[in-house]
């Protein structure tokens, strides 16, 4: 996995490249958690381009399983990019994104500057 490690707002953040392995099923979650753990990071910034096609379909439970794994390891997950079409097509996804963004563990943000700002950098 190609990554950069940044320090924003005092937090070590692994920023995943736009291209690379997808988070497409439950087996892939550990690879992304491991990437953050390997860099001793508190956050992983994951571009929307790295999400498998089923991630934003809540009925597949992939988003929920991913959220739970990141919470268990106390690593923040920031999904970076435009998901407005998927949100507009699903009331459940809209509610999920809104609830995630109210918390401090999983965020859906439009770009990296928004993550920097959210982390106080």
């Amino acid at each position: 996995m190609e990554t950069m490690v940044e320090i924003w707002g005092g937090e070590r953040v692994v920023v995943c490249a736009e291209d690379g392995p997808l988070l497409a099923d439950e087996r892939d979650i550990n690879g992304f958690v491991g990437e953050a753990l390997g860099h001793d990071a508190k956050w992983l910034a994951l571009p929307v381009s790295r999400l498998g096609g089923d991630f934003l379909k809540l009925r597949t439970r992939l988003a929920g399983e991913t959220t739970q794994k990141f919470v268990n390891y106390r690593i923040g997950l920031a999904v970076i990019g435009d998901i407005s079409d998927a949100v507009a097509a699903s009331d459940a996804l809209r509610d999920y994104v809104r609830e995630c963004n109210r918390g401090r563990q999983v965020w859906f943000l439009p770009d990296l500057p928004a993550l920097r700002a959210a982390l106080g950098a």
Side-chain angles (χ1 to χ4, degrees):
M1 235 179 265
E2 274 191 52
T3 59
M4 295 183 323
V5 179
E6 303 280 344
I7 307 290
W8 294 333
E11 302 281 1
R12 184 180 282 275
V13 180
V14 169
V15 180
C16 295
E18 290 285 329
D19 296 324
L22 296 179
L23 177 59
D25 62 39
E26 288 184 36
R27 294 173 298 211
D28 300 327
I29 301 168
N30 289 335
F32 288 95
V33 168
E35 188 70 19
L37 289 172
H39 290 285
D40 197 29
K42 295 293 183 190
W43 281 89
L44 182 103
L46 184 63
V48 170
S49 61
R50 300 283 295 273
L51 299 179
D54 286 340
F55 187 90
L56 297 175
K57 297 175 185 169
L58 295 184
R59 72 181 176 280
T60 68
R61 299 174 38 181
L62 182 57
E65 293 291 330
T66 301
T67 297
Q68 188 60 53
K69 182 76 76 157
F70 274 82
V71 167
N72 288 349
Y73 281 93
R74 296 184 177 154
I75 300 167
L77 173 65
V79 177
I80 305 297
D82 182 13
I83 60 167
S84 58
D85 288 345
V87 168
S90 169
D91 290 341
L93 180 61
R94 184 191 66 236
D95 293 343
Y96 175 75
V97 168
R98 184 178 58 242
E99 288 303 314
C100 285
N101 285 346
R102 286 183 180 164
R104 289 276 314 152
Q105 198 69 41
V106 176
W107 293 331
F108 291 83
L109 299 168
D111 51 33
L112 290 174
L115 177 57
R116 279 188 214 109
L119 292 174

